[in-house]
Amino acid sequence: MRKGEETRTRILDVAEAAVLQKGFGGTSIEELIAETGITKSGFFYHFRDKNELAKALLNRYIENDERIYDEIFSRARELMDDPLQSFLLGLKLLSELLSDLPNGHPGCLVATVCYYERLFDREIQEANKNAVLAWRRRFGGMFEEIMAVYTPREPLDVDQLADMVSTVIEGGIVLSRALKEPNSLSEQILVLRTFVKLLFQPRASDLNGVRH
Amino acid sequence: MRKGEETRTRILDVAEAAVLQKGFGGTSIEELIAETGITKSGFFYHFRDKNELAKALLNRYIENDERIYDEIFSRARELMDDPLQSFLLGLKLLSELLSDLPNGHPGCLVATVCYYERLFDREIQEANKNAVLAWRRRFGGMFEEIMAVYTPREPLDVDQLADMVSTVIEGGIVLSRALKEPNSLSEQILVLRTFVKLLFQPRASDLNGVRH
DNA sequence: GCGAAAACTGTACCGACGGTGCAGGAGGGC
DNA sequence: GCCCTCCTGCACCGTCGGTACAGTTTTCGC
């Protein structure tokens, strides 16, 4: 019971690192068992096949991802009352968190899965889709709060704006890896932050009678 | 001579489609030769190993990619004299081109390679990096032209701004695929377009004495 | 139309890998 | 002492990437 969970976690740790570096197809079960010091039979005791390993890997990754976003943006919410300022701070905190990682972001399993789609069953693809939809809901909710207070300078769809956050993170990871510049991702998030700031900056005409 | 090139191209076509759906590791040589109607020996006549196939695949993809950007942005330059308007039109044209693809963007090999890095040799990783650097130079040049005429509302590094275009495209592809919403990518490009428009919109204070 | 090079085919083989099946054993909890 | 969880060991299968190499057809230059 306790021991089993521990071994399972160890396999998942090793597998996650390997998959993010070489993809699912490039990661062999034999290399995983060699590194975890388990036998092949032991591996198949925990996971029926590679597909089930992928499923467990993805679900764990998504959970962890959600936890990190929860922490960052609830912390930002505590520090700032205004929804826009809070969101901008959240992006700043996220950017700092990422630039503190010595080797950069290890890679996103959601992206890995979507470049592998045909190899996995529908369940995995659904979980992947739902993860992205959860991001959309998360950031979309924040933008709705912002829009209740601020008028955007240009009309933009809330879902598309929310997706922009996910887009920049996923795209930033790709660029960081391709360029081998770990800081690119956090820089791109800060560029997005500037864009969002600009979008909700009050117009001169909205400041009628206001002194600052 | 002529025939050889044709077969080679056919292999690359089949391989590209397969790799973009299943990744390099998930694509078997045996399935490629089955679909192209060639023998295994025939395959290895054209490509020494899988790594060389990947190299040829990536180089061809990058060349094609560059050609498409050349066409779109030189066409936009012909239609608009102002560098900002020309760039905004280019993004619009790119967005339209992508939304016209019935199944959405087939996926980016540069992203596929960067999620596979450890399996390939340095030459491929270098080619991948150079492709992203070429994008940076391309869009960076455009932003420099724009900044010679317009003052950005917020100070932004030209390289980082240029990378933002690549970031949105790469991230947009990931989201499109994960969500199975082919239009997401072109929508995200239009959101970026709005951001760029906002960034270079003249301030009220810059319009002193100007009537419009 | 001939010769040489280019573009293959066929066959046999290798080690690594994903996966199956099953028998058995160590260790802890009741 | 028994059962259940958590493994190990072993034998085996088909697929895959890759090698080696001999032989054959196709194509092109002259």
Side-chain angles (χ1 to χ4, degrees):
Chain A
M1 275 187 170
R2 209 41 176 303
K3 186 80 182 308
E5 280 300 310
E6 195 194 294
T7 307
R8 201 184 139 94
T9 303
R10 228 170 57 240
I11 296 174
L12 286 174
D13 287 342
V14 173
E16 187 171 313
V19 166
L20 286 173
Q21 282 201 335
K22 296 174 288 189
F24 279 102
T27 302
S28 71
I29 292 177
E30 314 234 337
E31 105 187 56
L32 297 181
I33 67 177
E35 205 164 331
T36 45
I38 209 179
T39 59
K40 210 173 190 178
S41 318
F43 175 89
F44 285 106
Y45 170 79
H46 289 286
F47 305 98
R48 205 183 312 125
D49 51 30
K50 225 182 173 185
N51 194 76
E52 209 175 83
L53 172 70
K55 206 188 298 175
L57 220 48
L58 181 63
N59 286 332
R60 196 181 73 142
Y61 179 88
I62 291 171
E63 268 174 43
N64 194 41
D65 199 72
E66 290 292 307
R67 231 196 43 240
I68 291 171
Y69 284 145
D70 280 345
E71 275 174 31
I72 284 183
F73 286 98
S74 72
R75 177 126 178 279
R77 205 77 174 95
E78 283 165 23
L79 292 169
M80 295 278 177
D81 225 33
D82 180 77
L84 176 59
Q85 295 308 316
S86 155
F87 179 69
L88 293 177
L89 175 62
L91 287 186
K92 192 92 209 298
L93 292 175
L94 180 59
S95 160
E96 275 170 16
L97 182 100
L98 290 168
S99 68
D100 282 347
L101 298 174
N103 301 318
H105 194 291
C108 179
L109 267 185
V110 171
T112 305
V113 166
C114 91
Y115 268 108
Y116 252 99
E117 48 182 23
R118 291 266 172 239
L119 282 186
F120 297 123
D121 58 24
R122 274 185 211 151
E123 207 181 328
I124 290 189
Q125 293 177 44
E126 276 300 306
N128 215 37
K129 182 176 174 177
N130 287 331
V132 179
L133 288 175
W135 295 340
R136 181 185 282 178
R137 273 195 309 276
R138 175 189 293 275
F139 299 119
M142 296 182 189
F143 281 119
E144 266 168 16
E145 282 184 60
I146 292 172
M147 286 187 187
V149 184
Y150 297 85
T151 308
R153 283 175 160 264
E154 294 278 340
L156 277 178
D157 181 84
V158 175
D159 280 348
Q160 290 179 21
L161 197 51
D163 281 351
M164 194 65 182
V165 182
S166 314
T167 293
V168 170
I169 294 171
E170 290 299 335
I173 293 172
V174 170
L175 256 71
S176 266
R177 288 177 74 104
L179 291 170
K180 298 184 202 302
E181 292 176 5
N183 276 333
S184 284
L185 172 56
S186 48
E187 287 166 4
Q188 292 297 299
I189 290 174
L190 291 183
V191 174
L192 173 67
R193 198 188 98 104
T194 302
F195 281 151
V196 172
K197 212 169 97 188
L198 264 169
L199 178 64
F200 293 107
Q201 216 165 57
R203 283 174 226 255
S205 60
D206 296 339
L207 289 173
N208 280 345
V210 174
R211 282 273 159 275
H212 53 278
Chain B
M1 279 184 169
R2 209 37 175 306
K3 185 79 182 311
E5 280 300 309
E6 196 194 293
T7 306
R8 203 183 138 95
T9 302
R10 227 169 59 240
I11 296 174
L12 287 173
D13 287 341
V14 172
E16 187 172 311
V19 166
L20 287 173
Q21 283 201 336
K22 297 174 288 190
F24 279 102
T27 301
S28 72
I29 292 178
E30 315 233 338
E31 106 189 56
L32 298 182
I33 67 178
E35 205 164 331
T36 44
I38 209 178
T39 60
K40 209 173 191 176
S41 318
F43 175 89
F44 284 106
Y45 172 78
H46 288 286
F47 305 98
R48 204 185 311 124
D49 51 30
K50 223 180 174 186
N51 194 76
E52 209 175 82
L53 172 70
K55 205 187 300 174
L57 219 48
L58 180 63
N59 286 331
R60 196 181 72 143
Y61 179 87
I62 292 170
E63 268 175 43
N64 194 41
D65 200 72
E66 289 292 307
R67 231 196 44 240
I68 291 170
Y69 285 145
D70 279 346
E71 275 174 30
I72 284 183
F73 286 97
S74 72
R75 177 127 178 277
R77 205 74 174 95
E78 282 166 25
L79 293 169
M80 295 278 177
D81 226 34
D82 181 78
L84 176 58
Q85 294 309 317
S86 153
F87 180 68
L88 294 176
L89 175 62
L91 287 186
K92 191 94 210 297
L93 291 176
L94 179 61
S95 161
E96 275 171 15
L97 182 100
L98 290 167
S99 67
D100 282 347
L101 298 174
N103 301 318
H105 194 290
C108 179
L109 267 185
V110 171
T112 305
V113 165
C114 90
Y115 269 107
Y116 252 100
E117 49 182 22
R118 290 266 172 240
L119 283 187
F120 298 122
D121 58 22
R122 274 187 212 149
E123 206 181 329
I124 289 189
Q125 294 176 44
E126 276 300 307
N128 215 36
K129 182 175 173 177
N130 287 331
V132 180
L133 288 176
W135 296 339
R136 181 184 281 176
R137 273 196 308 276
R138 173 189 296 275
F139 299 119
M142 295 182 189
F143 281 119
E144 266 168 15
E145 281 185 60
I146 293 172
M147 286 185 185
V149 183
Y150 297 86
T151 309
R153 282 176 160 266
E154 295 277 342
L156 277 178
D157 182 85
V158 176
D159 280 349
Q160 289 179 22
L161 197 51
D163 281 351
M164 193 65 180
V165 182
S166 314
T167 292
V168 170
I169 293 171
E170 290 299 335
I173 293 173
V174 170
L175 256 72
S176 268
R177 287 176 75 104
L179 292 169
K180 297 183 203 304
E181 292 175 4
N183 277 332
S184 284
L185 172 57
S186 47
E187 286 166 5
Q188 293 296 297
I189 290 174
L190 291 182
V191 174
L192 173 67
R193 199 189 97 102
T194 301
F195 282 150
V196 173
K197 212 170 96 188
L198 264 168
L199 179 65
F200 293 107
Q201 216 164 57
R203 283 175 228 257
S205 60
D206 294 339
L207 290 173
N208 280 344
V210 174
R211 279 277 160 273
H212 51 278

